Amino acid sequence: MRRPRFIAEQARHAKGVLGRLIALIMARETWGENKRAIEALAVTPGDHVLDIGSGPGRSIAELAARAPRGHVVGVDPSELMVEIAARRNRKLVKARRAEIIAASAASLPFADNAFDKALCVHVIYFWNDLDTAFREIARVMKPGGILALIFRTNADEAAMSAFPAEVYNFRALNDVVASLEAAGFAVESREALCCDARTPALLKAARRHAPAKNSV
């Protein structure tokens, strides 16, 4: 069954009473894929971790538990999602072990080389420009920092027919890989769509180290 556009719009940018309901559904439906991304990151105790499109913020506590001496930041363009995530993680926020910020992937309010790890789960469908977003993510990550990216591709015919194309842009796997590489990432592993196109792809990519300058 095709999802109504007004519901899909809430997934892209939640607001109002309906947005709060969508947040509850998202927290449950996407948790398995968020755990998959978190496992792929192999977070260590001192890591600074960025959750891009953190939504209702269910992953924040899990990340903070794995990085007790680090720091976790969630970003989401929806003010409502930021409010919900901050309330869910209020103890961590109060202790300054986590923060939730309203921001888009294309314009992250952080210094260069700020994060060791980052995850982005079921979010790239809503980006107008992959190249800009990936360049910005690369900018805020340390050289060698790891990004775990989970998304459905245009090989998933069920998703393509269920979600309105005006809201969801399902891209080809190779196009996403090419955009990552152009932004300065090296794709280390691809848990891609080999046998079951309904399984979301997982790309694990490392930000490349800057090339050494030639000695004079």
Side-chain angles (χ1 to χ4, degrees):
M1 180 181 294
R2 191 168 181 81
R3 185 166 299 190
R5 179 169 178 172
F6 75 94
I7 295 291
E9 290 283 5
Q10 289 288 343
R12 175 162 63 180
H13 195 105
K15 56 186 177 181
V17 175
L18 181 57
R20 293 184 184 278
L21 176 59
I22 294 297
L24 291 173
I25 295 171
M26 287 176 61
R28 183 181 70 253
E29 288 188 344
T30 66
W31 180 232
E33 298 299 343
N34 275 276
K35 288 194 294 185
R36 186 177 163 209
I38 292 169
E39 290 295 334
L41 287 178
V43 175
T44 60
D47 278 346
H48 288 230
V49 187
L50 177 63
D51 186 355
I52 303 157
S54 52
R58 187 171 178 182
S59 294
I60 301 297
E62 180 65 25
L63 291 166
R66 296 177 184 228
R69 299 193 303 277
H71 191 67
V72 179
V73 180
V75 296
D76 198 282
S78 166
E79 294 280 0
L80 175 60
M81 286 296 192
V82 170
E83 173 199 327
I84 292 169
R87 188 185 312 116
R88 177 191 289 269
N89 297 284
R90 56 188 175 276
K91 291 183 180 179
L92 290 168
V93 171
K94 185 176 181 179
R96 298 185 179 180
R97 293 192 53 216
E99 58 185 311
I100 322 292
I101 296 172
S104 71
S107 182
L108 296 169
F110 310 112
D112 296 356
N113 308 322
F115 297 95
D116 302 283
K117 307 284 173 61
L119 67 156
C120 185
V121 178
H122 290 314
V123 174
I124 69 169
Y125 323 120
F126 309 126
W127 297 349
N128 293 326
D129 186 343
L130 278 186
D131 293 345
T132 296
F134 285 146
R135 283 197 302 269
E136 183 69 349
I137 295 168
R139 179 188 67 79
V140 303
M141 294 190 69
K142 298 175 184 178
I146 301 296
L147 168 68
L149 183 71
I150 287 183
F151 58 100
R152 295 187 183 278
T153 76
N154 61 0
D156 187 341
E157 294 181 1
M160 291 277 287
S161 63
F163 293 90
E166 302 89 347
V167 180
Y168 281 76
N169 184 1
F170 295 99
R171 295 172 167 91
L173 179 64
N174 287 342
D175 289 345
V176 178
V177 171
S179 186
L180 280 167
E181 292 177 342
F185 286 98
V187 176
E188 296 186 336
S189 64
R190 307 183 189 189
E191 290 183 24
L193 313 180
C194 54
C195 303
D196 184 356
R198 294 170 298 178
T199 301
L202 166 60
L203 297 182
K204 183 179 175 183
R207 182 191 163 192
R208 294 193 188 98
H209 290 264
K213 294 182 179 179
N214 293 330
S215 57
V216 179

